[in-house]
């Protein structure tokens, strides 16, 4: 029977629940167990797809087209869990399903209430988040569910009540609650305080949930006296009070720190699983050592990220992580120069001077478009490695149309309906869409690569699958004229013949992709496009071929196979 771990958070938001949840999943995979991971979000939006990145950070997309919370990116980067639409539920999604049932008459005239109908729907969602047997016939051993928000928020109360019921309905040894809290450091007194954590756990206990493990986020070391105090006042065994101090240089230290604190044995002992042998995280430790060595060696590549939502780091979270992964593979440290596209237009391309590569990410809306186009022109003319993603690829097409093909006024119909040269246009099968949520081209689609292209060389195969999130496409009427001036189209979606990849051949690295490669990048498995991009930048930065030896870091060199299962 599948065991369940529920991860809650208290005191403040942004404590790193997603990272901790992902780290626990990775540790369990290293023990040979199959895991699933799920996020329950209390906000009323059906999904984050229509939310501003400034409000919510990036929207992470799964293979089956779900627009989800960015924490799912952490889950996939740390584990091999197969995430789907059932891996992220919101209050809006739960209530929508209940209201639809009521409209159909499924409740047979009963009064529909939060308890039991909403809580039953939440419990059903938890079960739905556990996938069936994999291709090897293996069932999920441990299912992790993170609850968004902070204990005490009115929005999260139905979720916590549903978890209380869920735990009551299952054997005690089949469920475990991890509560993540904060030990704030008060500078004027020079000490950390436990009172906020005590109140947070008290609030959780009011609902009927008693945490089995208390993970304490802290900037300073937690003393033994403090741990004893938390154990006493929070009713958590002393050994189960875990310090999670801010990491020194990389988030990828978190699983190692949790293992050192004994979290793996605590979880396994609670579930009655074998815990005698230590968890083998050698492959992960080697990667962290490599990150540390790269920082000490000092080889550095500076990448300009020219975007619309640049003021919020989480808006491009997966892109920044993908650049880091590519840096690990190439043996270089990534230095980010975050530039607002509007500033590039207003203050000039001089803001780009000195960078070794330019990346233009995806986005929506007209603001910043011209600044992105100017940045792309600068990279093209200077021979600076360039990678354009989604809207970044479309801006590269517009730039080439205007400045290489001489198509004055070339633009996208997203922002210029009357453009004389609509090189980017609306997909014909979406022209009648009126709702914004969930109506884009979403999820994984196949792409056929042209043999002899840079993309083919980087991927090493003809057919690939990548995740999409967009409405507008390359206009096929302009394929020939743009190819003649050097903008080659080298990747196509079979069947619909949609352009997925564009390249300029006579350039160190100039690639634009309609899809989002950052959603398939892992620290031990850097994405080919990002790895090649940073390799080209490293050649420019340090005047030699970077070390593309990330393969030596993959789990296959340890006792874990590609599915995260003990070999």
């Amino acid at each position: 029977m599948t065991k369940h771990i529920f991860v809650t958070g208290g005191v403040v938001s942004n404590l790193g629940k997603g990272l901790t949840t992902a780290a626990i999943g990775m540790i369990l995979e290293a023990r040979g167990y199959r895991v699933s991971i799920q996020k329950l979000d209390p906000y009323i939006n059906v999904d984050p797809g229509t939310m501003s990145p400034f409000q919510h950070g990036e929207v992470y997309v799964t293979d089956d087209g779900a627009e989800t919370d960015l924490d799912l990116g952490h889950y996939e980067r740390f584990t091999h869990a197969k995430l789907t639409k059932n891996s992220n539920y919101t209050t809006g999604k739960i209530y929508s399903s209940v209201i639809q049932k009521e409209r159909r008459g499924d409740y047979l005239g009963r009064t529909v209430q939060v308890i039991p109908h909403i809580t039953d729907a939440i419990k059903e969602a938890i079960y739905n988040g556990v996938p069936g047997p994999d291709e090897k016939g293996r069932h999920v051993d441990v299912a992790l569910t993170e609850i968004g928000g902070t204990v005490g928020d009115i929005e999260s109360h139905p979720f916590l009540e549903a978890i209380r019921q869920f735990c009551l309905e299952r054997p005690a040894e089949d469920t475990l609650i991890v509560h993540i809290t904060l030990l704030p450091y008060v500078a004027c007194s020079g000490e950390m305080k436990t009172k906020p954590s005590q109140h947070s756990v008290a609030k959780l206990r009011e609902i009927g949930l008693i945490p089995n493990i208390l993970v304490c986020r802290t900037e300073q070391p937690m003393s033994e006296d403090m741990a004893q105090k938390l154990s006493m006042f929070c009713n958590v065994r002393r050994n189960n009070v875990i310090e999670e101090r801010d990491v020194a240089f990389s988030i990828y230290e978190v699983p190692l720190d949790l293992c050192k604190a004994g979290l793996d044995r605590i979880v396994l002992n609670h579930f009655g699983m074998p815990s005698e042998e230590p968890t083998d995280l050698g492959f992960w430790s080697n990667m962290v050592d490599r990150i540390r060595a790269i920082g000490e060696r000092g080889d550095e590549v500076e990448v300009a990220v020219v975007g619309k939502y640049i003021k919020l780091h989480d808006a491009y979270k997966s892109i920044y992580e993908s650049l880091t992964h590519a840096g690990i593979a190439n043996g270089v440290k990534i230095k980010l120069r975050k530039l607002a596209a509007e500033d590039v237009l207003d203050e000039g391309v001089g803001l780009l001077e000195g960078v070794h590569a330019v990346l233009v990410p995806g986005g929506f809306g007209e603001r910043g478009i011209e600044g992105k186009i100017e940045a792309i022109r600068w990279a093209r003319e200077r021979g600076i490695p360039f990678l354009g993603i989604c809207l970044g690829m479309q801006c590269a097409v517009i730039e080439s149309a205007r400045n290489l093909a001489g198509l004055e006024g070339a633009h996208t119909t997203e922002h210029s309906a009357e453009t004389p040269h609509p090189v980017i246009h609306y997909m014909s099968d979406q022209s009648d869409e009126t709702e914004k949520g969930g109506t884009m081209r979403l999820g994984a689609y196949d792409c056929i690569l042209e043999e002899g292209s840079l993309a083919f060389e980087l991927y090493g195969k003809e057919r690939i699958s990548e995740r999409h999130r967009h409405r507008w496409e390359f206009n096929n009427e302009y394929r020939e004229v743009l190819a003649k001036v050097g903008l080659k189209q080298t990747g196509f979606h079979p069947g619909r013949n949609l352009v997925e990849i564009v390249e300029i051949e006579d350039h160190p690295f100039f690639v634009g992709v309609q899809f989002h490669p950052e959603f398939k990048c892992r620290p031990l498995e850097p994405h080919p496009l990002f790895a090649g991009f940073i390799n080209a930048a490293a050649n420019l930065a340090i005047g030699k071929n970077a070390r593309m030896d990330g393969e030596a870091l993959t789990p296959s060199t340890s006792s874990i196979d590609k599915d995260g299962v003990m070999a």
Side-chain angles (χ1 to χ4, degrees):
M1 182 179 289
T2 300
K3 312 291 186 181
H4 287 264
I5 298 176
F6 297 99
V7 181
T8 62
V11 182
V12 295
S13 58
N14 292 323
L15 281 179
K17 294 193 303 294
L19 272 174
T20 302
T21 303
I24 295 171
M26 193 274 278
I27 291 169
L28 290 170
E29 280 193 345
R31 303 284 306 200
Y33 297 107
R34 184 185 174 207
V35 304
S36 66
I37 314 185
Q38 178 188 55
K39 175 81 180 285
L40 303 179
D41 277 309
Y43 51 76
I44 298 177
N45 304 65
V46 173
D47 60 44
T50 58
M51 295 171 68
S52 166
F54 289 125
Q55 289 276 319
H56 188 265
E58 77 174 1
V59 176
Y60 191 83
V61 179
T62 59
D63 274 347
D64 64 351
E67 295 177 285
T68 71
D69 185 82
L70 64 82
D71 276 330
L72 272 72
H74 291 312
Y75 305 162
E76 288 203 328
R77 285 189 285 272
F78 277 75
T79 76
H80 296 81
K82 307 301 182 185
L83 304 186
T84 68
K85 293 179 179 180
N86 291 329
S87 300
N88 194 197
Y89 281 86
T90 68
T91 293
K93 192 173 180 179
I94 293 293
Y95 271 75
S96 293
S97 68
V98 171
I99 290 170
Q100 287 173 7
K101 289 180 179 179
E102 186 274 331
R103 292 290 83 187
R104 290 197 304 264
D106 291 3
Y107 297 116
L108 300 177
R110 291 193 295 267
T111 301
V112 180
Q113 298 175 292
V114 173
I115 301 174
H117 303 101
I118 296 298
T119 52
D120 282 351
I122 294 171
K123 288 186 287 184
E124 182 180 353
I126 293 170
Y127 283 114
N128 289 342
V130 182
D134 60 16
E135 61 275 7
K136 298 179 181 179
R138 300 171 63 251
H139 292 270
V140 170
D141 299 299
V142 181
L144 294 101
T145 300
E146 176 195 351
I147 296 84
T150 306
V151 170
D153 293 345
I154 191 170
E155 296 94 341
S156 62
H157 198 99
F159 290 94
L160 296 174
E161 167 60 24
I163 291 168
R164 183 194 69 80
Q165 296 176 21
F166 187 96
C167 293
L168 188 65
E169 295 164 2
R170 305 272 298 213
E173 64 274 12
D174 282 358
T175 61
L176 181 143
I177 297 172
V178 177
H179 187 59
I180 302 175
T181 185
L182 176 69
L183 300 181
Y185 178 76
V186 181
C188 62
S189 63
E191 61 181 353
M192 293 189 297
K193 295 295 184 180
T194 65
K195 191 64 70 176
S197 296
Q198 294 178 40
H199 284 301
S200 176
V201 172
K203 201 71 179 173
L204 198 62
R205 291 168 65 185
E206 284 179 12
I207 301 168
L209 293 173
I210 300 176
N212 304 99
I213 299 173
L214 196 64
V215 176
C216 304
R217 287 296 313 277
T218 171
E219 298 177 6
Q220 306 289 331
M222 181 176 63
S223 67
E224 177 59 29
D225 286 345
M226 188 167 290
Q228 292 283 1
K229 186 176 182 180
L230 285 165
S231 172
M232 176 64 68
F233 286 97
C234 296
N235 198 39
V236 177
R237 295 184 183 278
R238 166 60 191 92
N239 288 342
N240 294 13
V241 178
I242 303 295
E243 175 189 280
E244 189 177 46
R245 204 184 319 171
D246 292 352
V247 294
F249 61 91
S250 172
I251 61 172
Y252 299 113
E253 296 177 76
V254 172
L256 303 177
D257 290 346
L258 291 178
C259 262
K260 288 178 185 176
L263 183 64
D264 52 342
R265 293 180 184 273
I266 295 169
V267 171
L268 294 171
N269 287 335
H270 178 88
F271 288 144
M273 295 173 168
S275 62
E276 293 77 17
E277 296 295 324
T279 303
D280 180 10
L281 294 181
F283 68 95
W284 199 265
S285 181
N286 289 342
M287 179 192 68
V288 172
D289 289 344
R290 180 177 174 84
I291 297 173
R292 185 183 292 109
I294 290 170
E296 293 172 350
R297 188 167 60 243
D299 289 341
E300 188 174 79
V301 166
E302 186 169 8
V303 180
V305 178
V306 183
K308 179 180 178 180
Y309 316 109
I310 214 71
K311 292 181 180 179
L312 182 66
H313 185 83
D314 280 352
Y316 302 117
K317 182 65 175 177
S318 290
I319 284 176
Y320 296 145
E321 290 302 311
S322 297
L323 290 170
T324 298
H325 304 161
I328 297 170
N330 282 284
V332 294
K333 182 180 179 180
I334 303 299
K335 180 181 180 181
L336 296 171
R337 187 183 298 187
K338 302 177 184 178
L339 297 174
E342 294 162 286
D343 292 343
V344 174
L345 181 64
D346 295 340
E347 301 176 32
V349 293
L351 294 174
L352 296 162
E353 289 293 341
V355 301
H356 307 116
V358 174
L359 189 152
V360 177
F364 296 91
E366 187 174 7
R367 181 169 59 85
I369 287 287
E370 295 300 328
K372 294 176 183 179
I373 291 171
E374 286 302 308
I376 294 167
R377 180 176 185 174
W378 181 87
R380 178 180 58 79
E381 294 179 343
R382 294 291 191 91
I384 303 298
F386 164 76
L387 177 61
I389 295 174
C390 197
L391 179 59
M393 174 264 209
Q394 296 176 3
C395 289
V397 173
I398 296 169
E399 193 279 325
S400 293
R402 291 178 183 178
N403 301 316
L404 292 179
L407 302 178
E408 186 176 350
H411 216 307
T412 167
T413 58
E414 180 182 7
H415 309 306
S416 181
E418 304 303 322
T419 174
H421 298 291
V423 291
I424 303 296
H425 67 161
Y426 205 42
M427 295 170 61
S428 59
D429 60 346
Q430 290 194 333
S431 59
D432 295 327
E433 292 289 357
T434 56
E435 293 190 355
K436 298 295 185 184
T439 59
M440 290 184 282
R441 187 180 180 212
L442 293 166
Y445 291 87
D446 284 352
C447 174
I448 303 299
L449 304 181
E450 186 176 282
E451 192 169 350
S453 65
L454 177 58
F456 186 93
E457 177 186 340
L458 292 172
Y459 279 96
K461 55 186 176 181
E462 181 185 28
R463 181 182 286 264
I464 61 172
S465 175
E466 294 284 2
R467 299 177 188 177
H468 295 66
R469 183 176 182 254
H470 62 98
R471 296 183 191 278
W472 279 261
E473 294 278 357
F474 186 109
N475 188 339
N476 283 341
E477 292 182 8
Y478 290 88
R479 282 174 55 177
E480 185 176 349
V481 65
L482 289 173
K484 284 181 178 179
V485 297
L487 190 71
K488 306 296 185 183
Q489 301 99 51
T490 61
F492 304 91
H493 173 58
R496 300 183 65 181
N497 200 29
L498 301 174
V499 175
E500 298 276 13
I501 304 175
V502 296
E503 302 178 13
I504 291 180
E505 291 178 333
D506 189 20
H507 193 282
F509 190 103
F510 192 101
V511 177
V513 296
Q514 185 60 77
F515 46 81
H516 288 268
E518 70 271 25
F519 295 151
K520 287 198 168 185
C521 199
R522 310 289 183 266
L524 295 172
E525 303 166 23
H527 193 283
L529 289 176
F530 278 95
F533 176 56
I534 294 303
N535 184 255
N539 292 341
L540 178 65
I542 59 181
K544 59 183 179 179
N545 286 327
R547 292 170 293 277
M548 291 285 287
D549 54 358
E551 294 178 27
L553 299 172
T554 59
S556 60
T557 61
S558 72
S559 57
I560 301 176
D561 69 19
K562 64 180 179 65
D563 295 314
V565 180
M566 296 293 286

